[in-house]
């Protein structure tokens, strides 16, 4: 996760974060250049704003890298023609700053004798960078990755060899990483290390491979082994040695045979990108929460000076904004107005001036309605804050300050992982503002910190405990022709988003309402068996939603409820229950409670024979008005 600001002073402190692809090849004979090129093409779905490869030849590191898609960089630099039997490669998805050659991987140390590629986030890179610069190292990029090359360089001065130098460097890192190193003085090996970011090793004959994902080496070998967190591996052409980072102790690891086709492997073994992306959320939410505090501060400062604040977006991004309004009001005691971008200027243009701040949320950063509204606000003198998944997008160029949500490319047209990441960043911004305004106590702040730490487990726990249950609910309701989603308080946003997912993927008319409002009109629709889905965490709205469930029950609606594990009031009134974790802080519930609704929408689309990755009439980025 990273943030960029338009202020030059802040730009120099920027950090690169990414969801990239890394690869490595070590051979007995032949050239790794063409194999690296092929593996990077297969990993291009992980990122595609810049590419680079490095090999070791005659005691020197050869390196080629540049911005652009792989095809473009290949025709310019002929990266596939690099010679050498040992090499590493990288395809980047920048989430920090416009992609540049300087920030492209591989990165090297001062002497160019160590090269590294990285997927993940080094959280403590700022302090490491300061220490390294104080020791005389010269860093050339703005990435977090480059510090690791210099850390290894520093360790190599102790004459301990590459493996030990990498191991000691890894012990100093906090964050998430899959790193692969080559060294001019030890040309026969690649050393890699993993924590939280994916890394898999392909075991060949007279050749070994590493990659972020299996498709990278699938045409060459189907024998693979997985590195676990806090493990490292040393690859030579005829051996793979797995070790624990902490102790250096060698670990026995059985290889397995990959049965997947290349296409299935590209989807991580899932039948669709959407399902893969739903399951990525424990990681992408964690990455979203890794936003550097300094950049949250920049946004909070702009917000604290504003006399009027709008949250601007379309579709799913708008629902993240709706949820965030509860956070801004309850934590920071600040009124913010969420607005659908296409209505913004007509509804509020007359109120926008230089004291207005418009916090704009757009996964793609290219949605035409959103950009038009932003330009309208800019013309009236407003400050523009941007939250997006695509660095270098138009939104980043129009924003005075922007933050990347670090979700990696989202291939499914329906937004899933980008919704939870957007909301996670928005709630962090609200909390930062609250701290600045002294509107939250330390006990509450601690509760949020604990909640943030638990979110990945809550999501993965829900996925594993509810997937079969949701599939059963889908089967039972697959003949229904319309659905209604109801929630109160912050769960209104969850209901809105659950409804959008179902509607856009299953082509079923669906309704979402604040539950309290349903008796003012919607209730006339309800008849026996009409499916109503209640989002009912045990927050301050809980006692009221029980009454709404009863209203629907009295009209013989078919009630499906999302309730906490210890629920004893809504669950008994429900025909189907989706059990959610207990004690999720109310303002974090959208991140967890949306997950089964994403699964429900996915399941309905598949059951009806529709392709959830490509719903009809929709585009991933809507660039028309
Ligand atoms: C729904 C969906 C769309 C987008 C909307 C805004 O699943 O993906 O509703 O959320 O088109 O797109 P961005 O966030 O790119 O501005």
């Amino acid at each position: 996760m990273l943030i960029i600001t338009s202020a030059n002073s802040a730009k120099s402190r920027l950090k690169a974060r990414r969801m990239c692809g890394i690869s490595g090849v070590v051979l007995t004979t032949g050239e790794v250049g063409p194999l690296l090129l092929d593996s990077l093409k297969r990993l291009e779905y992980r990122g595609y704003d810049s590419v680079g490869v490095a090999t070791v030849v005659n005691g020197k590191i050869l390196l080629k890298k540049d911005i652009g898609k792989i095809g473009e960089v290949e025709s310019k630099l002929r990266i596939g023609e690099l010679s050498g039997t040992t090499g590493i490669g990288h395809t980047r998805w920048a989430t920090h700053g416009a992609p540049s050659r300087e920030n492209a991987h591989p990165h090297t140390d001062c002497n160019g004798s160590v090269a590294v590629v990285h997927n993940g986030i080094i959280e403590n890179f700022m302090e490491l960078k300061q220490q390294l610069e104080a020791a005389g190292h010269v860093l050339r990029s703005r990435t977090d990755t480059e510090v690791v090359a210099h850390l290894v360089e520093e360790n190599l001065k102790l004459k301990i060899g590459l493996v030990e130098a990498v191991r000691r460097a890894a012990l100093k890192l906090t964050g998430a990483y899959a790193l692969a190193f080559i060294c001019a003085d030890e040309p026969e090996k690649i050393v890699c290390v993993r924590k939280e970011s994916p890394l898999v090793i392909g075991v060949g004959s007279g050749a070994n491979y590493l990659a972020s994902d299996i498709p990278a080496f699938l045409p060459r070998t189907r024998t693979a082994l997985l590195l676990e967190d806090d493990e490292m591996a040393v690859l030579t052409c005829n051996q793979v040695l797995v070790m624990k980072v902490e102790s250096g102790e060698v670990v026995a690891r059985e290889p397995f045979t990959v049965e997947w086709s290349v296409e299935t492997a590209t989807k991580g073994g899932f039948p669709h990108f959407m399902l893969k992306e739903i399951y990525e959320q424990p990681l992408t939410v964690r990455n979203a929460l890794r936003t550097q505090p300094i950049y949250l501060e920049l946004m909070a400062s702009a917000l604290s000076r504003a006399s009027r604040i709008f949250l601007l977006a379309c579709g799913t991004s708008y629902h993240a904004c709706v949820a965030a309004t509860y956070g801004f009001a309850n934590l920071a005691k600040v009124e913010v107005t969420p607005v659908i971008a296409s209505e913004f200027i007509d509804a509020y243009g007359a109120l926008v001036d230089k004291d207005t701040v418009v916090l704009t949320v757009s996964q793609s950063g290219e949605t035409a309605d959103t950009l038009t509204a932003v330009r309208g606000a800019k013309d009236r003198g407003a400050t523009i804050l941007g939250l997006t998944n695509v660095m270098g997008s138009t939104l980043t160029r129009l924003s005075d300050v922007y933050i990347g949500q670090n979700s990696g490319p989202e291939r499914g047209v329906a937004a899933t992982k980008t919704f939870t990441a957007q909301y996670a960043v928005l709630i962090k911004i609200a909390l930062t503002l609250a701290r600045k305004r002294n509107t939250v106590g330390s006990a509450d702040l601690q509760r949020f910190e604990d909640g943030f730490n638990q979110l990945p487990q809550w999501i993965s726990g829900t996925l594993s405990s509810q997937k079969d249950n949701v599939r059963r609910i889908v089967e039972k309701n697959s003949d229904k022709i319309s659905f209604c989603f109801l929630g109160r308080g912050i769960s209104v946003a969850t209901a809105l988003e659950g409804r959008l997912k179902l509607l856009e993927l299953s082509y079923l008319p669906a309704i979402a309402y604040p539950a309290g409002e349903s008796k003012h009109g919607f209730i006339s629709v309800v008849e026996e068996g009409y499916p109503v889905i209640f989002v009912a965490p045990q927050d301050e709205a809980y006692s009221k939603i029980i009454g709404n469930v009863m209203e629907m029950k009295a009209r013989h609606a078919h009630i499906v409820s999302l309730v906490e594990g210890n629920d004893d009031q809504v669950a008994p009134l429900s025909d189907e229950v989706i059990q959610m974790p207990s004690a999720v802080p109310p303002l974090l519930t959208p991140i967890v409670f949306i997950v089964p609704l994403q699964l429900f929408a996915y399941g309905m689309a598949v059951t009806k024979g529709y392709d959830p990755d490509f719903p009809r009439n929709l585009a991933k980025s809507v660039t028309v008005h």
Side-chain angles (χ1 to χ4, degrees):
M1 154 72 55
L2 61 96
I3 300 185
I4 304 272
T5 139
S6 60
N8 283 338
S9 58
K11 265 189 177 161
S12 64
R13 299 191 298 262
L14 294 181
K15 148 178 192 184
R17 307 231 170 158
R18 62 201 68 80
M19 174 91 77
C20 312
I22 71 171
S23 82
V25 184
V26 52
L27 299 172
T28 318
T29 55
E31 308 290 359
V32 288
L35 303 186
L36 284 172
L37 176 64
D38 182 62
S39 68
L40 292 177
K41 281 184 183 157
R42 293 170 189 283
L43 287 175
E44 201 165 17
Y45 63 90
R46 295 187 62 90
Y48 39 76
D49 60 52
S50 44
V51 187
V53 292
T55 61
V56 197
V57 179
N58 299 331
K60 281 209 173 92
I61 301 268
L62 304 183
L63 188 147
K64 291 185 179 185
K65 61 180 185 177
D66 211 338
I67 55 170
K69 293 194 171 182
I70 291 175
E72 293 156 11
V73 178
E74 166 60 4
S75 33
K76 197 155 95 184
L77 299 181
R78 299 270 157 225
I79 53 178
E81 289 172 13
L82 260 188
S83 58
T85 52
T86 305
I88 52 178
H90 190 266
T91 175
R92 182 168 184 243
W93 173 260
T95 52
H96 165 273
S100 68
R101 186 188 180 278
E102 179 190 63
N103 290 335
H105 297 214
H107 291 284
T108 53
D109 62 337
C110 293
N111 309 320
S113 57
V114 174
V116 60
V117 287
H118 171 212
N119 170 31
I121 298 162
I122 309 295
E123 283 174 10
N124 59 338
F125 89 105
M126 282 286 196
E127 57 188 88
L128 293 172
K129 187 172 177 174
Q130 279 158 10
Q131 289 163 14
L132 287 161
E133 285 178 339
H137 290 259
V138 178
L139 281 84
R140 294 166 293 255
S141 75
R142 290 184 179 145
T143 65
D144 50 344
T145 307
E146 192 187 343
V147 297
V148 192
H150 293 267
L151 262 186
V152 170
E153 176 189 18
E154 197 60 24
N155 291 342
L156 283 171
K157 289 178 190 163
L158 305 172
K159 306 283 176 220
I160 52 179
L162 181 65
V163 178
E164 183 61 10
V166 168
R167 192 184 76 79
R168 291 191 196 178
L171 289 172
K172 291 200 167 152
L173 305 178
T174 58
Y177 43 83
L179 292 155
F181 302 83
I182 55 173
C183 176
D185 297 332
E186 300 182 43
E188 76 293 351
K189 64 173 74 107
I190 303 175
V191 180
C192 58
V193 57
R194 176 204 162 156
K195 184 173 187 186
E196 287 183 32
S197 297
L199 186 55
V200 58
I201 291 168
V203 184
S205 151
N208 287 311
Y209 310 87
L210 69 87
S212 304
D213 262 338
I214 286 171
F217 54 71
L218 209 47
R220 313 202 185 276
T221 179
R222 289 190 164 267
T223 306
L225 53 88
L226 290 175
L227 272 198
E228 304 290 348
D229 282 347
D230 299 309
E231 287 183 348
M232 55 190 292
V234 185
L235 278 70
T236 56
C237 60
N238 48 25
Q239 194 187 34
V240 176
L241 199 65
V242 180
M243 302 157 65
K244 288 192 173 148
V245 172
E246 183 66 38
S247 59
E249 182 193 329
V250 173
V251 179
R253 178 67 34 82
E254 278 304 305
F256 62 94
T257 305
V258 181
E259 310 283 0
W260 294 339
S261 66
V262 171
E263 203 212 333
T264 310
T266 305
K267 293 175 187 159
F270 291 96
H272 298 96
F273 282 110
M274 181 185 175
L275 197 56
K276 173 174 180 263
E277 286 157 3
I278 290 172
Y279 274 81
E280 275 171 18
Q281 290 178 110
L283 177 66
T284 49
V285 165
R286 182 173 291 172
N287 282 345
L289 291 167
R290 286 187 160 120
T291 312
Q292 291 277 299
I294 184 175
Y295 303 118
L296 294 170
E297 288 292 338
L298 281 167
M299 283 220 171
S301 296
L303 291 167
S304 66
R305 290 192 299 267
S307 63
R308 194 172 272 123
I309 301 170
F310 294 102
L311 302 187
L312 192 75
C314 300
T316 290
S317 300
Y318 170 72
H319 297 151
C321 294
V322 172
T325 58
Y326 293 81
F328 279 101
N330 289 295
L331 297 172
K333 315 286 183 238
V334 164
E335 181 186 345
V336 300
T337 310
V339 193
I340 288 178
S342 54
E343 288 300 311
F344 180 63
I345 293 299
D346 288 340
Y348 297 105
L351 305 180
V352 178
D353 60 17
K354 64 174 181 27
D355 298 321
T356 304
V357 170
V358 176
L359 172 49
T360 307
V361 183
S362 172
Q363 184 283 131
S364 62
E366 299 295 350
T367 300
D369 288 335
T370 307
L371 296 179
T372 302
V374 166
R375 289 189 179 103
K378 233 176 146 60
D379 290 347
R380 290 163 174 79
T383 298
I384 309 297
L385 309 181
L387 168 58
T388 182
N389 194 30
V390 183
M391 293 301 113
S393 61
T394 308
L395 178 60
T396 62
R397 294 198 292 277
L398 292 174
S399 298
D400 297 293
V401 180
Y402 63 94
I403 300 181
Q405 58 182 86
N406 199 31
S407 308
E410 189 171 60
R411 295 281 293 270
V413 164
T416 51
K417 63 176 179 172
T418 54
F419 169 74
T420 45
Q422 281 168 345
Y423 180 62
V425 178
L426 288 171
I427 204 73
K428 277 248 168 184
I429 297 170
L431 262 182
T432 311
L433 185 59
R435 246 193 224 111
K436 214 177 193 50
R437 292 168 50 83
N438 265 327
T439 50
V440 272
S442 52
D444 279 339
L445 286 172
Q446 192 52 51
R447 253 193 296 282
F448 270 98
E449 281 315 316
D450 295 344
F452 288 146
N453 287 334
Q454 285 193 66
L455 275 171
Q457 288 99 293
W458 282 326
I459 297 170
S460 50
T462 301
L463 283 166
S464 53
S465 72
Q466 296 306 306
K467 67 174 190 312
D468 293 338
N469 184 31
V470 171
R471 196 177 300 138
R472 196 187 49 75
I473 295 173
V474 165
E475 276 162 22
K476 238 178 137 179
N477 290 281
S478 61
D479 59 340
K480 302 275 163 54
I481 54 167
S482 171
F483 286 81
C484 179
F485 294 74
L486 297 178
R488 290 188 86 113
I490 194 161
S491 297
V492 171
T494 313
L496 286 168
E497 177 57 9
R499 168 247 188 188
L500 177 59
K501 290 289 89 85
L502 181 71
L503 175 89
E504 67 182 332
L505 298 177
S506 302
Y507 319 143
L508 288 173
I511 303 161
Y513 257 100
E517 181 69 6
S518 57
K519 59 185 171 299
H520 297 286
F522 159 70
I523 204 160
S524 70
V525 172
V526 179
E527 56 186 5
E528 181 153 8
Y530 185 92
V532 181
I533 299 178
F534 278 94
V535 184
Q538 286 176 37
D539 56 12
E540 284 178 7
Y542 180 70
S543 57
K544 293 199 189 110
I545 211 165
I546 297 167
N548 300 127
V549 177
M550 285 173 166
E551 284 160 14
M552 294 300 155
K553 182 97 187 146
R555 277 135 192 108
H556 310 292
H558 182 80
I559 293 169
V560 180
S561 59
L562 277 72
V563 294
E564 293 186 19
N566 56 352
D567 182 286
D568 59 3
Q569 303 207 55
V570 171
L573 295 169
S574 307
D575 299 285
E576 326 257 7
V577 167
I578 297 176
Q579 295 269 354
M580 301 301 296
S582 298
V584 179
L587 288 173
L588 300 185
T589 55
I591 298 175
V592 187
F593 280 59
I594 193 59
V595 172
L597 297 182
Q598 294 168 340
L599 284 180
F600 180 68
Y602 169 82
M604 284 297 269
V606 172
T607 302
K608 289 177 175 302
Y610 303 139
D611 183 344
D613 284 342
F614 299 102
R616 70 187 183 202
N617 302 337
L618 290 175
K620 186 68 191 156
S621 175
V622 183
T623 53
V624 291
H625 292 288

